[in-house]
Amino acid sequence: MRKRLVIAGVAAWALVLVGLAVYSYHRDPATVPGQTTVAQARATMDRVTGELSAVSSSVKISEYAESPCEITNARSGRSVKRELTFTTTPGDEATLLRSIAAELPKAYHASTTQGDATVTLYADAGDFVAVRGRKGADPGSVVVSLLSGCREA
C-alpha cells in the first residue's frame, strides 16, 4: 500500500512538472536570442528602421546581411545585421548621434559616450536587437547598426 502511494505521488509530481513546462513554453517570454527566430528579429529591425528614418531624410538603408552562427554546440542558427548610413555636415557626426539617441523611444534606454572625437551610440530595441552607432569612415557619415544575435533560422 505504501509503495503504491509513493508511486502515485511521484507520478502526480511528474505530471505537474510536465504541465508547468508546457505552460511556460507557450506563455513565458524568451530569455535569450536563441529562443527567438530570425523573422522576429527582422520585424523588430523593420520597426527600428522606420523610427530611425524619421530622424533624418539623408539615410541609406542596407539590405539584411545574414551569417551562420552557433546557438549551442549542437544547434546552429543565423545572425542578422542591417546598417543605416546617415550623412551630415563633416564635423557634426557627434551631434547627429546624440540627436538620434534623443529621438529613439525611451524604452530603448539609448545613450551615447561623452567624447566628441569617438562618440558612440548604444541602445536596446527590445526582442534582443542591439542598436549601435558610430562615426563612419567618410567625413560627415554616421553608421547605425542593428544586430540580432544568434537565433533560430
Side-chain angles (χ1 to χ4, degrees):
M1 180 70 172
R2 183 171 164 93
K3 187 176 181 181
R4 286 185 188 184
L5 284 175
V6 170
I7 291 172
V10 169
W13 182 246
L15 284 174
V16 167
L17 289 178
V18 168
L20 289 173
V22 169
Y23 178 82
S24 176
Y25 177 79
H26 291 288
R27 304 284 178 159
D28 287 346
T31 56
V32 295
Q35 295 173 330
T36 58
T37 64
V38 169
Q40 289 170 307
R42 283 183 176 217
T44 300
M45 289 177 165
D46 287 342
R47 184 189 76 233
V48 175
T49 298
E51 293 165 350
L52 289 170
S53 296
V55 172
S56 174
S57 61
S58 60
V59 61
K60 179 183 167 208
I61 303 169
S62 74
E63 295 296 323
Y64 289 108
E66 287 191 22
S67 57
C69 58
E70 288 186 1
I71 297 172
T72 66
N73 287 339
R75 285 177 53 204
S76 61
R78 312 248 346 133
S79 63
V80 182
K81 179 179 182 179
R82 179 179 240 183
E83 291 189 336
L84 290 82
T85 305
F86 295 86
T87 54
T88 187
T89 307
D92 285 345
E93 297 89 349
T95 304
L96 178 57
L97 276 168
R98 288 188 182 103
S99 173
I100 291 170
E103 293 292 324
L104 287 173
K106 297 288 183 219
Y108 290 12
H109 303 288
S111 64
T112 56
T113 57
Q114 297 302 318
D116 282 346
T118 59
V119 68
T120 52
L121 163 72
Y122 299 94
D124 178 2
D127 295 327
F128 307 103
V129 173
V131 180
R132 303 290 181 256
R134 60 181 162 63
K135 184 178 175 181
D138 298 326
S141 70
V142 169
V143 178
V144 176
S145 302
L146 308 177
L147 310 163
S148 72
C150 195
R151 299 169 184 250
E152 288 186 20

